C-alpha cells in the first residue's frame, strides 16, 4: 500500500467516524459538511475526493450503522443462544445492549427518515435496513418451526420497533427486559399446539343430537326409537 493510499484510507476512516458521531447526535440535515470536515481534521478536498457529496457520505454513514447492528446481532445471538426459538426472544436482549449505551438516541434510520424524506440515499439505506429487520425474525421463526411464522415475525418486529422508541423517548434502557418478556410469551404461544377436539364415547356417537341437547330422558328415548 502506497503512502497516498494510506492517507486516503485514513481520511475516509476519520470522515466516517466524524459523520457517525455528528449525524447520529445532531441529525443528517442539521450537520453541515464543514462540521464533519472540522471534526475529522481533513481538508475539504478529501471529503469530495472520497465521497463526492454529502449525500454519499450520509449513505456511507447509514451503511456503517446497518453493518454494525447486523454483525453485532449475529455475533451475540450465535454466542449466547443455542436454538432459533431462544434467539427469537434473545434479539430483544441483544437490542437492550444498544439502549444502555450513553449516546443512545434511538434508531438512526428512523431519525434520518424523519429528517430527510426526499433523500434517495436515506430512503434506499432505510429500506435495506428494514428488510434485514423483517428477515431476521422471519428466518428465525421458520427455523424454529413456528406454527404461523409470518404472523409471529410481524408481531415481533412491532415489539422491536416499539422497544427502541420507548427506550429513547423515556430514557429507560430497562425497557428491553419488558420487550423480551413479551416476546417470550408470544413465542411460547406460537409453538403451543391447538388442543384436539373432545372425543365422544360409543353411546354418544350413536345417540341423535337432539336427544343429547335435552334433559328429558323420556324424550331422548322416544327420539332414539
Amino acid at each position: 500500500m502506497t503512502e497516498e493510499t494510506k492517507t486516503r484510507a485514513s481520511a475516509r476512516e476519520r470522515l466516517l467516524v466524524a459523520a457517525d458521531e455528528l449525524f447520529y447526535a445532531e441529525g443528517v440535515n442539521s450537520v453541515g459538511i464543514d462540521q464533519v470536515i472540522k471534526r475529522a481534521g481533513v481538508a475539504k478536498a478529501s471529503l469530495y475526493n472520497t465521497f463526492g457529496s454529502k449525500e454519499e457520505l450520509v449513505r456511507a454513514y447509514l451503511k456503517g450503522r446497518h453493518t454494525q447492528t447486523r454483525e453485532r446481532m449475529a455475533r451475540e445471538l450465535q454466542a449466547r443462544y443455542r436454538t432459533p426459538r431462544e434467539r427469537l426472544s434473545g434479539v430483544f436482549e441483544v437490542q437492550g445492549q444498544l439502549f444502555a449505551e450513553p449516546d443512545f438516541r434511538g434508531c438512526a434510520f428512523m431519525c434520518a427518515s424523519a429528517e430527510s424524506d426526499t433523500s434517495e440515499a436515506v430512503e434506499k439505506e432505510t429500506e435495506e435496513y428494514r428488510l434485514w429487520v423483517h428477515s431476521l425474525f422471519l428466518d428465525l421463526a421458520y427455523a424454529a418451526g413456528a406454527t404461523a411464522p409470518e404472523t409471529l415475525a410481524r408481531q415481533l418486529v412491532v415489539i422491536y420497533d416499539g422497544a427502541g422508541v420507548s427506550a429513547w423517548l423515556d430514557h429507560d434502557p430497562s425497557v428491553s427486559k419488558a420487550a423480551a418478556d413479551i416476546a417470550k410469551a408470544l413465542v411460547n404461544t406460537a409453538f403451543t399446539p391447538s388442543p384436539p377436539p373432545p372425543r365422544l364415547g360409543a353411546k354418544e356417537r350413536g345417540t341423535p343430537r337432539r336427544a343429547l341437547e335435552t334433559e328429558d330422558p323420556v324424550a331422548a328415548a322416544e327420539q332414539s326409537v
Side-chain angles (χ1 to χ4, degrees):
M1 182 182 293
T2 66
E3 196 62 36
E4 181 181 353
T5 303
K6 289 180 181 178
T7 301
R8 186 176 301 170
S10 177
R12 177 183 175 83
E13 183 178 336
R14 291 202 299 260
L15 284 165
L16 283 175
V17 169
D20 185 77
E21 294 172 351
L22 291 169
F23 288 158
Y24 186 63
E26 302 179 27
V28 295
N29 278 357
S30 302
V31 174
I33 287 296
D34 290 340
Q35 288 176 265
V36 177
I37 291 169
K38 183 178 179 180
R39 175 71 66 90
V42 301
K44 181 175 288 190
S46 296
L47 188 146
Y48 290 105
N49 289 338
T50 304
F51 296 101
S53 66
K54 180 183 176 181
E55 178 87 348
E56 290 307 307
L57 179 61
V58 170
R59 188 192 302 274
Y61 152 67
L62 291 174
K63 278 185 179 294
R65 283 271 162 176
H66 185 180
T67 299
Q68 291 170 17
T69 303
R70 186 180 66 243
E71 290 180 351
R72 181 177 194 169
M73 185 65 70
R75 183 175 62 251
E76 294 294 325
L77 289 180
Q78 183 67 31
R80 298 171 60 179
Y81 308 97
R82 295 183 301 108
T83 66
R85 181 168 174 173
E86 290 176 348
R87 290 167 187 156
L88 276 168
S89 54
V91 168
F92 298 91
E93 296 175 352
V94 177
Q95 185 190 31
Q97 296 175 2
L98 300 175
F99 300 166
E101 293 181 354
D103 63 345
F104 177 71
R105 291 181 56 81
C107 174
F109 296 88
M110 186 181 298
C111 294
S113 294
E115 283 188 274
S116 305
D117 56 355
T118 60
S119 169
E120 185 274 336
V122 171
E123 181 179 349
K124 181 65 169 60
E125 296 309 318
T126 299
E127 182 180 331
E128 289 291 325
Y129 170 75
R130 293 301 293 171
L131 179 62
W132 169 75
V133 172
H134 284 271
S135 297
L136 170 66
F137 287 109
L138 187 59
D139 291 347
L140 287 173
Y142 269 109
T147 305
E150 294 89 353
T151 300
L152 177 61
R154 191 176 301 114
Q155 292 169 335
L156 293 175
V157 168
V158 172
I159 299 172
Y160 184 88
D161 293 340
V165 172
S166 182
W168 174 30
L169 296 183
D170 297 337
H171 308 288
D172 181 12
S174 69
V175 74
S176 63
K177 174 64 167 57
D181 288 344
I182 296 171
K184 287 175 184 176
L186 192 60
V187 168
N188 288 338
T189 301
F191 291 90
T192 301
S194 301
R199 298 184 61 183
L200 298 178
K203 182 177 180 180
E204 292 173 320
R205 286 198 299 271
T207 305
R209 181 179 180 82
R210 289 177 58 194
L212 291 174
E213 294 175 349
T214 181
E215 297 180 358
D216 186 348
V218 176
E222 291 177 348
Q223 293 172 14
S224 63
V225 175

